[in-house]
Amino acid sequence: MIDIHTHILPFIDDGSPDCEVSIKMLSSLCEQGVSKVVLTPHFYAYRTDVESFVCKREISVNKLLDELKKKPVDISLYLGAEVLYFDEVWTVDNLDELTIKGTKYIMVEMPFCRWTDSMIGKISRLTSKGYIPIIAHIDRYIKKQKNFSCFYRLAEQGALLQVNTASVLSFFSRLRLKTLFKKGVITLFGTDCHNMEGRAPLYEESMQYIKKMVSKEQYQYMIDRQNFVLKEAQRIY
Ligand SMILES: [Fe+2]
């Protein structure tokens, strides 16, 4: 099983505060049956540039890898980023540095407002440039949108929609997500874990709920789609 969205890298964003917590998060995921984890620290273009981000991320990765030498966890790691949407996102020269390493998949965090046609259009520009946008935690935007049409449009444009696993633990959230699951619009899932407390890696129980919300075939499709994303990805651990 794969967790495609995590803030396990230490000292880089509002996620794991240190290596000890990072190892606990990885161990917890491993115990819940996860074998592959994508590290997706926040990238905010208004705060930093790609070069500085990559440099900071490298330092963080090295610290985590050093710790894993002392306390190994039976899990594979992949590197990515969660890029906060900005209007010029598709014009960034070195965007490949922000994709899941070795692939063209790029995780985008959309703004927490009602999305405009222009925003959805900018995402399609990413697709035109050969990238495959992964729209992070769509469960967090549903209430903000007028209806589901923006999600359908994004999926039609070739974007993949990711849901946070913890969201299906809530009855009302499951109700809101039901249609999107049934229509097969949601294809990816991730914990978006930040720590071991309020935003801990909740995976196993959530996957049981997801299994019940979709058909057997749909569930298998989601698993296969998730695996396909990492097919060409470069493992860093
Ligand atoms: Fe996130």
Side-chain angles (χ1 to χ4, degrees):
M1 299 296 272
I2 295 171
D3 186 351
I4 208 149
H5 183 170
T6 69
H7 298 271
I8 288 175
L9 271 186
F11 318 112
I12 189 164
D13 58 10
D14 59 340
S16 172
D18 55 44
C19 288
E20 199 184 327
V21 173
S22 302
I23 299 286
K24 280 184 186 165
M25 291 162 88
L26 288 172
S27 304
S28 167
L29 283 169
C30 186
E31 282 163 19
Q32 296 177 73
V34 175
S35 57
K36 295 175 180 178
V37 168
V38 186
L39 306 164
T40 52
H42 289 290
F43 171 79
Y44 300 122
Y46 66 89
R47 280 192 197 165
T48 185
D49 55 37
V50 175
E51 207 175 298
S52 313
F53 170 81
V54 168
C55 190
K56 202 176 165 191
R57 187 179 61 179
E58 202 59 33
I59 294 168
S60 174
V61 165
N62 288 335
K63 283 183 180 160
L64 180 60
L65 294 182
D66 279 349
E67 194 69 13
L68 280 164
K69 277 182 198 155
K70 291 180 250 164
K71 298 173 190 163
V73 182
D74 187 15
I75 213 157
S76 301
L77 298 182
Y78 301 83
L79 197 54
E82 180 181 10
V83 179
L84 181 65
Y85 172 92
F86 56 105
D87 283 339
E88 301 78 28
V89 63
W90 60 281
T91 65
V92 174
D93 285 337
N94 39 3
L95 212 51
D96 279 335
E97 300 283 357
L98 302 177
T99 59
I100 297 178
K101 207 174 165 74
T103 77
K104 285 288 189 181
Y105 292 93
I106 182 159
M107 182 170 282
V108 180
E109 178 178 33
M110 294 296 281
F112 290 92
C113 60
R114 188 172 289 181
W115 301 338
T116 62
D117 287 346
S118 164
M119 287 172 185
I120 293 172
K122 297 281 164 58
I123 297 297
S124 84
R125 296 222 181 193
L126 279 176
T127 316
S128 312
K129 286 186 82 177
Y131 294 99
I132 304 146
I134 296 175
I135 309 299
H137 44 59
I138 59 150
D139 45 284
R140 295 178 66 185
Y141 305 109
I142 291 178
K143 279 186 183 171
K144 300 269 181 201
Q145 309 309 318
K146 199 175 166 189
N147 50 45
F148 287 152
S149 64
C150 54
F151 300 110
Y152 300 142
R153 280 176 62 199
L154 284 166
E156 279 161 17
Q157 283 174 192
L160 301 177
L161 274 49
Q162 178 254 316
V163 73
N164 277 2
T165 44
S167 68
V168 301
L169 297 176
S170 144
F171 173 75
F172 292 108
S173 179
R174 279 203 300 281
L175 268 187
R176 282 193 292 272
L177 287 163
K178 203 174 168 184
T179 310
L180 292 177
F181 269 118
K182 293 272 179 210
K183 296 233 179 207
V185 184
I186 298 169
T187 42
L188 305 177
F189 37 84
T191 60
D192 194 12
C193 56
H194 281 63
N195 48 50
M196 284 302 288
E197 288 140 10
R199 297 185 75 179
L202 301 174
Y203 195 91
E204 203 174 17
E205 192 187 353
S206 305
M207 292 313 293
Q208 296 308 319
Y209 277 110
I210 292 175
K211 240 182 197 175
K212 284 180 206 159
M213 289 168 78
V214 297
S215 68
K216 231 182 201 179
E217 292 72 25
Q218 265 180 301
Y219 183 75
Q220 192 53 50
Y221 176 78
M222 290 170 81
I223 301 290
D224 292 345
R225 194 69 190 83
Q226 195 112 320
N227 280 317
F228 191 73
V229 170
L230 292 191
K231 204 172 162 222
E232 307 289 332
Q234 288 169 25
R235 214 178 120 181
I236 61 159
Y237 175 77

